[in-house]
Amino acid sequence: MLEQFDKAFESRIRLQIMSVLAANESYDFSSLKELLEVTDGNLASHLKALEKEAYIAVNKSFVGRKPNTRYVATEDGIEAFKRHLKSLEKLIKQQK
Amino acid sequence: MLEQFDKAFESRIRLQIMSVLAANESYDFSSLKELLEVTDGNLASHLKALEKEAYIAVNKSFVGRKPNTRYVATEDGIEAFKRHLKSLEKLIKQQK
């Protein structure tokens, strides 16, 4: 039962981050923060958790002199996310 | 985005408990523990969290001299669970 459920996506914020990164080539910290309506600290800690799983990767660069931190979903991350959604889908179907 | 996501169901265990109680009239502690393969303490703390939200109710009785603790989903709980699943369903559809 829910064998494929991935603890990394247990949190709503991490589920949303992954959803955004699966649908976009990359996303920067500020836009992500705005979209998800979370604090810097909260977002940073969830991003770090996903990075630790190697589900997302960080891309640090400069736009002019301004630092620009962008996040991308890794192939592993996308695969894990899809498995997780399948497990949720199964749960939903059981309820119908 | 994920407005209907319910923090009470963020944990896999709570999601599973609710899924079981939505599908069964009631369920006792030991069977739930066996089904979800969790420890007493872990299960108890998740049940307490759902009880606090009034999503489940506890039914204590005796079978002979043996105490029998059964859990039932409340109407509010079922409603909240359905809303939560709808929000997950939306997320899944966005990914397709």
Side-chain angles (χ1 to χ4, degrees):
Chain A
M1 188 187 187
L2 281 190
E3 297 82 8
Q4 305 266 39
F5 193 97
D6 193 329
K7 262 195 141 334
F9 303 125
E10 206 163 34
S11 122
R12 178 177 69 94
I13 306 294
R14 293 205 287 280
L15 205 55
Q16 290 183 307
I17 292 171
M18 214 52 210
S19 168
V20 171
L21 295 186
N24 296 275
E25 208 170 309
S26 74
Y27 228 80
D28 70 89
F29 189 89
S30 317
S31 311
L32 212 45
K33 189 188 142 188
E34 220 166 275
L35 186 67
L36 306 188
E37 296 175 22
V38 284
T39 62
D40 277 46
N42 199 353
L43 180 57
S45 93
H46 285 301
L47 286 168
K48 198 158 281 177
L50 290 172
E51 214 190 319
K52 213 179 133 200
E53 300 286 335
Y55 286 173
I56 66 171
V58 191
N59 227 315
K60 288 187 183 189
S61 65
F62 282 84
V63 176
R65 287 195 178 183
K66 261 183 102 183
N68 185 255
T69 305
R70 300 192 70 86
Y71 296 87
V72 291
T74 63
E75 258 181 60
D76 276 5
I78 300 275
E79 276 313 302
F81 186 55
K82 279 188 187 161
R83 274 198 305 274
H84 183 76
L85 293 186
K86 273 223 175 88
S87 124
L88 293 177
E89 208 172 4
K90 225 187 262 177
L91 180 89
I92 293 167
K93 274 189 191 144
Q94 279 170 9
Q95 296 301 321
K96 287 189 171 167
Chain B
M1 188 188 186
L2 282 190
E3 296 83 9
Q4 305 265 41
F5 193 96
D6 192 328
K7 262 195 141 334
F9 303 126
E10 205 163 34
S11 122
R12 178 178 69 93
I13 307 294
R14 292 204 288 280
L15 204 56
Q16 290 183 306
I17 292 171
M18 214 51 209
S19 167
V20 171
L21 295 186
N24 296 275
E25 208 170 311
S26 75
Y27 228 81
D28 70 88
F29 190 89
S30 317
S31 311
L32 212 45
K33 190 190 142 189
E34 221 166 275
L35 186 68
L36 306 188
E37 295 176 20
V38 285
T39 62
D40 276 48
N42 198 354
L43 180 57
S45 92
H46 285 301
L47 285 168
K48 199 158 281 175
L50 289 172
E51 214 190 321
K52 214 179 132 200
E53 300 287 334
Y55 286 174
I56 66 170
V58 191
N59 226 315
K60 288 187 184 191
S61 66
F62 281 83
V63 175
R65 288 197 176 180
K66 262 183 101 182
N68 185 255
T69 305
R70 300 193 69 86
Y71 296 87
V72 290
T74 63
E75 258 180 61
D76 276 6
I78 299 275
E79 275 315 302
F81 186 54
K82 279 188 186 160
R83 273 198 305 276
H84 182 76
L85 293 186
K86 273 222 175 89
S87 124
L88 292 178
E89 207 171 5
K90 224 187 262 175
L91 180 88
I92 293 168
K93 273 188 192 143
Q94 278 169 9
Q95 296 300 321
K96 288 189 171 168

